Amino acid sequence: QSALTQSPSVSGSPGQSVTISCTGTSSDVGNYDRVSWYQQSPGTVPKLIIYRVGQRPSGVSDRFSGSKSGNTASLTISGLRAEDEADYYCCSYAGDYSWVFGPGTRVNVL
Amino acid sequence: QITLKESGPTLVNPAQTLTLTCTFSGFSLSTSRVGVGWIRQPPGEALEWLAVIYWDDYKRYSPSLRARLSITKDTSENQVVLTMTKMDPVDTATYYCSHIVMTFGAVTADDAFDFWGPGTVVTVS
């Protein structure tokens, strides 16, 4: 089971868009459309914001969108707001009913 | 609605075995495609998937921790128990349990950890 990679941090000003990448391998991200994204603000429980690459759960803002190309999944936050400042984790199915999380990306709102 | 809650010791001695219980409501672990997973997060660090158990008692573990982990379910009590042997200070973390529904056959599901418990802090010292 390989590890996923994410950039440690990204920054943006309010109103801008930022994109977070999550790179895996052909054994996980590249082979399955089972990539999810979680938002975790300091001191809170992780919250599912994207599932199956680009689907949003009910109640999640449409400013969050997900996509995938090859072994890399991406999360884009449009119209950045102060409340979006948090850690974002990707998670991928790794086959045989197992899972792997990425190391997380801190989004800073300038 | 779906809720989960973790329980167990807050302090564990090194080399001891940790036993955590996840008590849930709003779903049944006897329902096809449903699972409960455990994820942990050391202070200031990333989420780490540990284990998952599915409705059919299929179990999967993180490869790096497989030798130390065991996961079981009690469907009648709506509980999932995770045990981790040989605890070490590096295992100090918040431990979460979470609900998941898997795509199976022609039926598509979220394939994500959609509901989480509040977490329980475990310190190894």
Side-chain angles (χ1 to χ4, degrees), chain B residues 61-76:
Chain B
Y61 301 100
S62 166
S64 62
L65 293 168
R66 179 178 291 126
R68 299 173 52 206
L69 292 173
S70 176
I71 190 169
T72 59
K73 65 180 175 72
D74 185 332
T75 303
S76 62

PDB file of all heavy atoms in Angstrom, chain B residues 61-76:
ATOM      1  N   TYR B  61      -6.593  -4.254   7.350  1.00  0.00           N
ATOM      2  CA  TYR B  61      -5.738  -3.483   8.250  1.00  0.00           C
ATOM      3  C   TYR B  61      -4.683  -2.711   7.469  1.00  0.00           C
ATOM      4  O   TYR B  61      -4.261  -3.124   6.385  1.00  0.00           O
ATOM      5  CB  TYR B  61      -5.034  -4.426   9.223  1.00  0.00           C
ATOM      6  CG  TYR B  61      -5.955  -5.250  10.085  1.00  0.00           C
ATOM      7  CD1 TYR B  61      -6.242  -6.579   9.770  1.00  0.00           C
ATOM      8  CD2 TYR B  61      -6.552  -4.701  11.221  1.00  0.00           C
ATOM      9  CE1 TYR B  61      -7.098  -7.327  10.560  1.00  0.00           C
ATOM     10  CE2 TYR B  61      -7.400  -5.453  12.010  1.00  0.00           C
ATOM     11  CZ  TYR B  61      -7.668  -6.767  11.679  1.00  0.00           C
ATOM     12  OH  TYR B  61      -8.522  -7.517  12.460  1.00  0.00           O
ATOM     13  N   SER B  62      -4.236  -1.616   8.080  1.00  0.00           N
ATOM     14  CA  SER B  62      -3.100  -0.897   7.524  1.00  0.00           C
ATOM     15  C   SER B  62      -1.901  -1.843   7.475  1.00  0.00           C
ATOM     16  O   SER B  62      -1.587  -2.491   8.477  1.00  0.00           O
ATOM     17  CB  SER B  62      -2.770   0.302   8.402  1.00  0.00           C
ATOM     18  OG  SER B  62      -1.502   0.829   8.086  1.00  0.00           O
ATOM     19  N   PRO B  63      -1.231  -1.925   6.338  1.00  0.00           N
ATOM     20  CA  PRO B  63      -0.095  -2.857   6.233  1.00  0.00           C
ATOM     21  C   PRO B  63       0.983  -2.604   7.290  1.00  0.00           C
ATOM     22  O   PRO B  63       1.582  -3.559   7.792  1.00  0.00           O
ATOM     23  CB  PRO B  63       0.439  -2.594   4.824  1.00  0.00           C
ATOM     24  CG  PRO B  63      -0.729  -2.081   4.073  1.00  0.00           C
ATOM     25  CD  PRO B  63      -1.521  -1.280   5.064  1.00  0.00           C
ATOM     26  N   SER B  64       1.202  -1.349   7.628  1.00  0.00           N
ATOM     27  CA  SER B  64       2.278  -1.037   8.578  1.00  0.00           C
ATOM     28  C   SER B  64       1.927  -1.412  10.001  1.00  0.00           C
ATOM     29  O   SER B  64       2.818  -1.521  10.847  1.00  0.00           O
ATOM     30  CB  SER B  64       2.622   0.456   8.499  1.00  0.00           C
ATOM     31  OG  SER B  64       1.504   1.235   8.861  1.00  0.00           O
ATOM     32  N   LEU B  65       0.647  -1.619  10.298  1.00  0.00           N
ATOM     33  CA  LEU B  65       0.226  -1.914  11.670  1.00  0.00           C
ATOM     34  C   LEU B  65      -0.497  -3.246  11.792  1.00  0.00           C
ATOM     35  O   LEU B  65      -0.986  -3.590  12.872  1.00  0.00           O
ATOM     36  CB  LEU B  65      -0.675  -0.792  12.190  1.00  0.00           C
ATOM     37  CG  LEU B  65       0.007   0.566  12.380  1.00  0.00           C
ATOM     38  CD1 LEU B  65      -1.031   1.652  12.602  1.00  0.00           C
ATOM     39  CD2 LEU B  65       0.963   0.509  13.574  1.00  0.00           C
ATOM     40  N   ARG B  66      -0.557  -3.977  10.697  1.00  0.00           N
ATOM     41  CA  ARG B  66      -1.365  -5.200  10.666  1.00  0.00           C
ATOM     42  C   ARG B  66      -1.042  -6.157  11.797  1.00  0.00           C
ATOM     43  O   ARG B  66      -1.937  -6.784  12.379  1.00  0.00           O
ATOM     44  CB  ARG B  66      -1.167  -5.899   9.325  1.00  0.00           C
ATOM     45  CG  ARG B  66      -1.937  -7.206   9.176  1.00  0.00           C
ATOM     46  CD  ARG B  66      -1.725  -7.794   7.803  1.00  0.00           C
ATOM     47  NE  ARG B  66      -2.363  -6.985   6.777  1.00  0.00           N
ATOM     48  CZ  ARG B  66      -1.733  -6.506   5.719  1.00  0.00           C
ATOM     49  NH1 ARG B  66      -0.441  -6.731   5.554  1.00  0.00           N
ATOM     50  NH2 ARG B  66      -2.393  -5.793   4.815  1.00  0.00           N
ATOM     51  N   ALA B  67       0.225  -6.283  12.119  1.00  0.00           N
ATOM     52  CA  ALA B  67       0.633  -7.262  13.133  1.00  0.00           C
ATOM     53  C   ALA B  67       0.141  -6.890  14.529  1.00  0.00           C
ATOM     54  O   ALA B  67       0.102  -7.736  15.415  1.00  0.00           O
ATOM     55  CB  ALA B  67       2.151  -7.390  13.136  1.00  0.00           C
ATOM     56  N   ARG B  68      -0.227  -5.645  14.720  1.00  0.00           N
ATOM     57  CA  ARG B  68      -0.594  -5.180  16.067  1.00  0.00           C
ATOM     58  C   ARG B  68      -2.088  -4.946  16.232  1.00  0.00           C
ATOM     59  O   ARG B  68      -2.548  -4.677  17.337  1.00  0.00           O
ATOM     60  CB  ARG B  68       0.146  -3.883  16.385  1.00  0.00           C
ATOM     61  CG  ARG B  68       1.655  -3.998  16.394  1.00  0.00           C
ATOM     62  CD  ARG B  68       2.293  -2.626  16.559  1.00  0.00           C
ATOM     63  NE  ARG B  68       1.745  -1.929  17.713  1.00  0.00           N
ATOM     64  CZ  ARG B  68       1.715  -0.614  17.848  1.00  0.00           C
ATOM     65  NH1 ARG B  68       2.196   0.167  16.880  1.00  0.00           N
ATOM     66  NH2 ARG B  68       1.215  -0.049  18.935  1.00  0.00           N
ATOM     67  N   LEU B  69      -2.844  -5.000  15.152  1.00  0.00           N
ATOM     68  CA  LEU B  69      -4.256  -4.608  15.176  1.00  0.00           C
ATOM     69  C   LEU B  69      -5.200  -5.796  15.070  1.00  0.00           C
ATOM     70  O   LEU B  69      -4.902  -6.798  14.417  1.00  0.00           O
ATOM     71  CB  LEU B  69      -4.548  -3.650  14.028  1.00  0.00           C
ATOM     72  CG  LEU B  69      -3.917  -2.268  14.083  1.00  0.00           C
ATOM     73  CD1 LEU B  69      -4.172  -1.519  12.784  1.00  0.00           C
ATOM     74  CD2 LEU B  69      -4.433  -1.477  15.261  1.00  0.00           C
ATOM     75  N   SER B  70      -6.350  -5.625  15.712  1.00  0.00           N
ATOM     76  CA  SER B  70      -7.447  -6.572  15.553  1.00  0.00           C
ATOM     77  C   SER B  70      -8.750  -5.789  15.631  1.00  0.00           C
ATOM     78  O   SER B  70      -8.903  -4.920  16.489  1.00  0.00           O
ATOM     79  CB  SER B  70      -7.399  -7.637  16.648  1.00  0.00           C
ATOM     80  OG  SER B  70      -8.522  -8.495  16.552  1.00  0.00           O
ATOM     81  N   ILE B  71      -9.665  -6.092  14.745  1.00  0.00           N
ATOM     82  CA  ILE B  71     -10.956  -5.405  14.734  1.00  0.00           C
ATOM     83  C   ILE B  71     -12.062  -6.444  14.734  1.00  0.00           C
ATOM     84  O   ILE B  71     -11.978  -7.457  14.025  1.00  0.00           O
ATOM     85  CB  ILE B  71     -11.068  -4.454  13.514  1.00  0.00           C
ATOM     86  CG1 ILE B  71     -12.298  -3.560  13.619  1.00  0.00           C
ATOM     87  CG2 ILE B  71     -11.046  -5.222  12.208  1.00  0.00           C
ATOM     88  CD1 ILE B  71     -12.326  -2.427  12.584  1.00  0.00           C
ATOM     89  N   THR B  72     -13.064  -6.215  15.571  1.00  0.00           N
ATOM     90  CA  THR B  72     -14.200  -7.134  15.646  1.00  0.00           C
ATOM     91  C   THR B  72     -15.485  -6.316  15.731  1.00  0.00           C
ATOM     92  O   THR B  72     -15.461  -5.121  16.035  1.00  0.00           O
ATOM     93  CB  THR B  72     -14.108  -8.046  16.878  1.00  0.00           C
ATOM     94  OG1 THR B  72     -14.080  -7.229  18.058  1.00  0.00           O
ATOM     95  CG2 THR B  72     -12.871  -8.923  16.832  1.00  0.00           C
ATOM     96  N   LYS B  73     -16.599  -6.972  15.483  1.00  0.00           N
ATOM     97  CA  LYS B  73     -17.886  -6.296  15.585  1.00  0.00           C
ATOM     98  C   LYS B  73     -18.866  -7.111  16.395  1.00  0.00           C
ATOM     99  O   LYS B  73     -18.775  -8.349  16.432  1.00  0.00           O
ATOM    100  CB  LYS B  73     -18.453  -5.991  14.186  1.00  0.00           C
ATOM    101  CG  LYS B  73     -18.803  -7.226  13.354  1.00  0.00           C
ATOM    102  CD  LYS B  73     -19.348  -6.780  11.992  1.00  0.00           C
ATOM    103  CE  LYS B  73     -19.607  -7.954  11.058  1.00  0.00           C
ATOM    104  NZ  LYS B  73     -20.774  -8.745  11.450  1.00  0.00           N
ATOM    105  N   ASP B  74     -19.771  -6.403  17.050  1.00  0.00           N
ATOM    106  CA  ASP B  74     -20.896  -7.014  17.751  1.00  0.00           C
ATOM    107  C   ASP B  74     -22.139  -6.377  17.164  1.00  0.00           C
ATOM    108  O   ASP B  74     -22.529  -5.282  17.586  1.00  0.00           O
ATOM    109  CB  ASP B  74     -20.787  -6.785  19.254  1.00  0.00           C
ATOM    110  CG  ASP B  74     -21.877  -7.515  20.028  1.00  0.00           C
ATOM    111  OD1 ASP B  74     -22.972  -7.738  19.474  1.00  0.00           O
ATOM    112  OD2 ASP B  74     -21.632  -7.851  21.198  1.00  0.00           O
ATOM    113  N   THR B  75     -22.720  -7.027  16.199  1.00  0.00           N
ATOM    114  CA  THR B  75     -23.834  -6.443  15.466  1.00  0.00           C
ATOM    115  C   THR B  75     -25.032  -6.185  16.380  1.00  0.00           C
ATOM    116  O   THR B  75     -25.705  -5.164  16.243  1.00  0.00           O
ATOM    117  CB  THR B  75     -24.225  -7.359  14.302  1.00  0.00           C
ATOM    118  OG1 THR B  75     -23.087  -7.576  13.465  1.00  0.00           O
ATOM    119  CG2 THR B  75     -25.338  -6.742  13.480  1.00  0.00           C
ATOM    120  N   SER B  76     -25.273  -7.076  17.303  1.00  0.00           N
ATOM    121  CA  SER B  76     -26.438  -6.924  18.173  1.00  0.00           C
ATOM    122  C   SER B  76     -26.292  -5.744  19.120  1.00  0.00           C
ATOM    123  O   SER B  76     -27.279  -5.124  19.522  1.00  0.00           O
ATOM    124  CB  SER B  76     -26.678  -8.201  18.968  1.00  0.00           C
ATOM    125  OG  SER B  76     -25.570  -8.465  19.809  1.00  0.00           O
TER     126      SER B  76
END
